[in-house]
Amino acid sequence: MGKGKKLSQKIGFFAGVIAFIVVLLLKTPTGMEVGAKITIGLLLWMAIWWATDAVPLSITSLLPLVIFPLFKVVNAKEIAKAYMSQEIMLFVGGFFISEALEESGLHVRFSLGLVNLLGTSPKKIILSMMIAVGFISMWISNTTATIMALPIVLSIIEFYKDSIKKENLAVNTETGSFAFATALMLGIAFAASIGGMGTPIGTPPNIIFMSIAKQMFPNAPTLTFFDFSKFGILFIILFLPFTWFMLTSVFFKPGFTGLKESREIFRKELQKLGKMNKKEIIVAVVFIITVLLWIFRVDINFGSFTLKGWSTLLNVGKFVHDSTIAIFAALLLYIIPVDVKKFETVLKTESIKNLPWDIILIFGGGLALADAVIATKIPEYVSSKLTFLQHTNLLLVIFIVGGTGFLIAQFTSHTSATSIFMPIAGSIAIAAKMHPYLVMLPTTFAISLAFSLPASTPPNVVVMTGGHVEVKDMLKAGLTIGIIGLIILVFYMYFIGVPLLNIANMPY
């Protein structure tokens, strides 16, 4: 234990180990396997270490590789597979695509173009930046999307501060009191978290959900990239404008209208970028092809007719996965030359070194826990003890489970919260005799709605570094919007999600 460790980390370190030992010493309940008790003990140990950051999150994620084989829960060969699954490779491919977007600068062109298109009044600028960040974070990490947007929004804030002073408007532009700046900064942070819900690669909890759902319920149809995205994007279309309205019309009213020079300023910034260069064109083409391959991989049923997916036409449906497409895109970005003479490509060796191994290991740790949960029949045991849920209102079950995930994620990383809670959500679904997607999918989204505190999610930390946001403002707006979002999500799942995904007719 290093000298730099906080007291909470030191307490957490020993509390995690003690919790595991205590569970081991307890008598195994009737009907529960010994391996299940060991798995629950390790789950508590990892949850405490993840919550207190007693050791690096990624190192905590390696515990299953040691504990499960030693205690004969799952053998080493099987547990190691969890750390490099096809879902993790989907994340890896998505990471390389995000690196290419950042390297090419397409995100800046997209953001400025959107502001220029929608208008330059204070509210419209906030909406433009939220749409831009939300869209970008569907494809790259929420943190990266926010970091990319930060210098743009800071320059916008400075421009408006100077313009307000020049025009002698009665608007307080002091740091912490400039409502426009607070709304804009919180807008990009919240939009990054909301946008991440749009695709499987948008944020780690999405892939964790898909992986654990597949492990726990192998008979349930796997949600394809297209299935997940149509559910996620429709929710974003509903919830992002609501979030914008709450920020700009309820919590932080800008207090002034548009300024004369602002549209010309943004137009000039866009003109400075010039025409798209070869690198941007390559990235744009690869990106569009990748999205189309994801959407049209499997058959799409329109009711009266079915559009055959390319995997069906090529008779490879049982062999390929969305990760196949993601890695194919990554290979293209490493192979297609930007400069033929120099054989310079979009991505370079440095991109491999930038792979977020900490996130990958946390993925693996969560999937390893799910493996053990299934192997030791914990879902069956939990469902036998929660049979009363069969008579509980479906909407109430979704709200309670989703709300619990929402609360947990306020104080710990969304990745670790999802890893801990997904197997529990799946078990509760079995107990309530409802399709697991009805509980697990909204719970995954509820976790992404946890953006009330700086510690809740990295985008919040990023905007805090830029100033203009106080914790009390983040808490006030984030908690209110998150709770209302949770309620919207419950009804969205029931009234839109069920028919949209045809969950009522899905086996599991």
Side-chain angles (χ1 to χ4, degrees), residues 1-18:
M1 302 289 287
K3 290 181 179 179
K5 289 281 185 184
K6 297 178 183 176
L7 180 62
S8 61
Q9 291 174 305
K10 293 177 181 177
I11 293 171
F13 180 86
F14 292 107
V17 178
I18 291 168

mmCIF file of all heavy atoms in Angstrom, residues 1-18:
data_model
loop_
_atom_site.group_PDB
_atom_site.id
_atom_site.type_symbol
_atom_site.label_atom_id
_atom_site.label_comp_id
_atom_site.label_asym_id
_atom_site.label_seq_id
_atom_site.Cartn_x
_atom_site.Cartn_y
_atom_site.Cartn_z
ATOM 1 N N MET A 1 0.852 -1.204 0.000
ATOM 2 C CA MET A 1 0.000 0.000 0.000
ATOM 3 C C MET A 1 0.885 1.250 0.000
ATOM 4 O O MET A 1 1.624 1.489 0.942
ATOM 5 C CB MET A 1 -0.884 0.018 1.247
ATOM 6 C CG MET A 1 -1.781 -1.193 1.394
ATOM 7 S SD MET A 1 -3.109 -1.205 0.178
ATOM 8 C CE MET A 1 -4.127 0.091 0.846
ATOM 9 N N GLY A 2 0.844 2.021 -1.066
ATOM 10 C CA GLY A 2 1.699 3.188 -1.182
ATOM 11 C C GLY A 2 1.282 4.294 -0.237
ATOM 12 O O GLY A 2 0.163 4.349 0.251
ATOM 13 N N LYS A 3 2.211 5.260 -0.022
ATOM 14 C CA LYS A 3 1.947 6.370 0.886
ATOM 15 C C LYS A 3 0.834 7.269 0.356
ATOM 16 O O LYS A 3 0.165 7.953 1.101
ATOM 17 C CB LYS A 3 3.221 7.184 1.088
ATOM 18 C CG LYS A 3 4.277 6.445 1.884
ATOM 19 C CD LYS A 3 5.506 7.310 2.084
ATOM 20 C CE LYS A 3 6.577 6.586 2.905
ATOM 21 N NZ LYS A 3 7.779 7.417 3.072
ATOM 22 N N GLY A 4 0.676 7.272 -0.984
ATOM 23 C CA GLY A 4 -0.304 8.163 -1.582
ATOM 24 C C GLY A 4 -1.736 7.676 -1.468
ATOM 25 O O GLY A 4 -2.654 8.365 -1.891
ATOM 26 N N LYS A 5 -1.939 6.503 -0.918
ATOM 27 C CA LYS A 5 -3.295 5.961 -0.836
ATOM 28 C C LYS A 5 -4.149 6.755 0.156
ATOM 29 O O LYS A 5 -3.704 7.103 1.245
ATOM 30 C CB LYS A 5 -3.265 4.494 -0.389
ATOM 31 C CG LYS A 5 -2.720 3.529 -1.445
ATOM 32 C CD LYS A 5 -3.768 3.211 -2.477
ATOM 33 C CE LYS A 5 -3.263 2.161 -3.451
ATOM 34 N NZ LYS A 5 -4.226 1.896 -4.522
ATOM 35 N N LYS A 6 -5.399 7.044 -0.235
ATOM 36 C CA LYS A 6 -6.335 7.708 0.668
ATOM 37 C C LYS A 6 -6.823 6.703 1.709
ATOM 38 O O LYS A 6 -6.735 5.496 1.515
ATOM 39 C CB LYS A 6 -7.526 8.248 -0.118
ATOM 40 C CG LYS A 6 -7.172 9.316 -1.136
ATOM 41 C CD LYS A 6 -8.412 9.739 -1.890
ATOM 42 C CE LYS A 6 -8.091 10.765 -2.966
ATOM 43 N NZ LYS A 6 -9.275 11.115 -3.771
ATOM 44 N N LEU A 7 -7.364 7.233 2.803
ATOM 45 C CA LEU A 7 -7.879 6.382 3.871
ATOM 46 C C LEU A 7 -8.977 5.467 3.337
ATOM 47 O O LEU A 7 -9.030 4.277 3.673
ATOM 48 C CB LEU A 7 -8.407 7.240 5.021
ATOM 49 C CG LEU A 7 -8.994 6.472 6.214
ATOM 50 C CD1 LEU A 7 -7.924 5.585 6.864
ATOM 51 C CD2 LEU A 7 -9.574 7.449 7.236
ATOM 52 N N SER A 8 -9.869 6.017 2.483
ATOM 53 C CA SER A 8 -10.965 5.207 1.939
ATOM 54 C C SER A 8 -10.438 4.046 1.103
ATOM 55 O O SER A 8 -11.012 2.950 1.103
ATOM 56 C CB SER A 8 -11.897 6.081 1.084
ATOM 57 O OG SER A 8 -11.187 6.633 -0.012
ATOM 58 N N GLN A 9 -9.326 4.273 0.398
ATOM 59 C CA GLN A 9 -8.732 3.208 -0.411
ATOM 60 C C GLN A 9 -8.132 2.123 0.479
ATOM 61 O O GLN A 9 -8.260 0.928 0.191
ATOM 62 C CB GLN A 9 -7.664 3.786 -1.337
ATOM 63 C CG GLN A 9 -8.214 4.675 -2.440
ATOM 64 C CD GLN A 9 -7.120 5.334 -3.252
ATOM 65 O OE1 GLN A 9 -6.242 6.007 -2.698
ATOM 66 N NE2 GLN A 9 -7.151 5.154 -4.551
ATOM 67 N N LYS A 10 -7.492 2.555 1.557
ATOM 68 C CA LYS A 10 -6.895 1.584 2.483
ATOM 69 C C LYS A 10 -7.971 0.738 3.165
ATOM 70 O O LYS A 10 -7.841 -0.479 3.283
ATOM 71 C CB LYS A 10 -6.056 2.314 3.542
ATOM 72 C CG LYS A 10 -4.813 2.988 2.968
ATOM 73 C CD LYS A 10 -4.054 3.766 4.036
ATOM 74 C CE LYS A 10 -2.822 4.454 3.457
ATOM 75 N NZ LYS A 10 -2.106 5.263 4.465
ATOM 76 N N ILE A 11 -9.047 1.422 3.583
ATOM 77 C CA ILE A 11 -10.159 0.694 4.215
ATOM 78 C C ILE A 11 -10.771 -0.272 3.201
ATOM 79 O O ILE A 11 -11.060 -1.426 3.510
ATOM 80 C CB ILE A 11 -11.219 1.682 4.746
ATOM 81 C CG1 ILE A 11 -10.645 2.494 5.913
ATOM 82 C CG2 ILE A 11 -12.485 0.938 5.183
ATOM 83 C CD1 ILE A 11 -11.541 3.631 6.366
ATOM 84 N N GLY A 12 -10.965 0.229 1.985
ATOM 85 C CA GLY A 12 -11.541 -0.598 0.934
ATOM 86 C C GLY A 12 -10.702 -1.816 0.615
ATOM 87 O O GLY A 12 -11.239 -2.911 0.366
ATOM 88 N N PHE A 13 -9.395 -1.655 0.646
ATOM 89 C CA PHE A 13 -8.485 -2.770 0.345
ATOM 90 C C PHE A 13 -8.731 -3.935 1.306
ATOM 91 O O PHE A 13 -8.931 -5.077 0.890
ATOM 92 C CB PHE A 13 -7.040 -2.294 0.446
ATOM 93 C CG PHE A 13 -6.022 -3.370 0.160
ATOM 94 C CD1 PHE A 13 -5.627 -3.631 -1.141
ATOM 95 C CD2 PHE A 13 -5.477 -4.129 1.191
ATOM 96 C CE1 PHE A 13 -4.692 -4.632 -1.416
ATOM 97 C CE2 PHE A 13 -4.557 -5.128 0.933
ATOM 98 C CZ PHE A 13 -4.160 -5.382 -0.373
ATOM 99 N N PHE A 14 -8.733 -3.632 2.599
ATOM 100 C CA PHE A 14 -8.905 -4.694 3.598
ATOM 101 C C PHE A 14 -10.361 -5.152 3.683
ATOM 102 O O PHE A 14 -10.633 -6.338 3.896
ATOM 103 C CB PHE A 14 -8.418 -4.204 4.965
ATOM 104 C CG PHE A 14 -6.933 -3.989 5.013
ATOM 105 C CD1 PHE A 14 -6.394 -2.716 5.040
ATOM 106 C CD2 PHE A 14 -6.060 -5.078 5.004
ATOM 107 C CE1 PHE A 14 -5.015 -2.515 5.066
ATOM 108 C CE2 PHE A 14 -4.677 -4.887 5.033
ATOM 109 C CZ PHE A 14 -4.161 -3.597 5.058
ATOM 110 N N ALA A 15 -11.299 -4.207 3.474
ATOM 111 C CA ALA A 15 -12.722 -4.569 3.547
ATOM 112 C C ALA A 15 -13.081 -5.582 2.465
ATOM 113 O O ALA A 15 -13.866 -6.507 2.706
ATOM 114 C CB ALA A 15 -13.589 -3.319 3.400
ATOM 115 N N GLY A 16 -12.512 -5.416 1.286
ATOM 116 C CA GLY A 16 -12.789 -6.340 0.190
ATOM 117 C C GLY A 16 -12.333 -7.754 0.504
ATOM 118 O O GLY A 16 -13.078 -8.731 0.308
ATOM 119 N N VAL A 17 -11.110 -7.873 1.018
ATOM 120 C CA VAL A 17 -10.548 -9.193 1.360
ATOM 121 C C VAL A 17 -11.340 -9.820 2.500
ATOM 122 O O VAL A 17 -11.664 -11.014 2.472
ATOM 123 C CB VAL A 17 -9.055 -9.056 1.746
ATOM 124 C CG1 VAL A 17 -8.492 -10.423 2.137
ATOM 125 C CG2 VAL A 17 -8.258 -8.469 0.592
ATOM 126 N N ILE A 18 -11.659 -9.009 3.517
ATOM 127 C CA ILE A 18 -12.401 -9.519 4.680
ATOM 128 C C ILE A 18 -13.792 -9.993 4.259
ATOM 129 O O ILE A 18 -14.266 -11.047 4.706
ATOM 130 C CB ILE A 18 -12.509 -8.430 5.780
ATOM 131 C CG1 ILE A 18 -11.120 -8.173 6.382
ATOM 132 C CG2 ILE A 18 -13.505 -8.840 6.859
ATOM 133 C CD1 ILE A 18 -11.044 -6.942 7.271
#
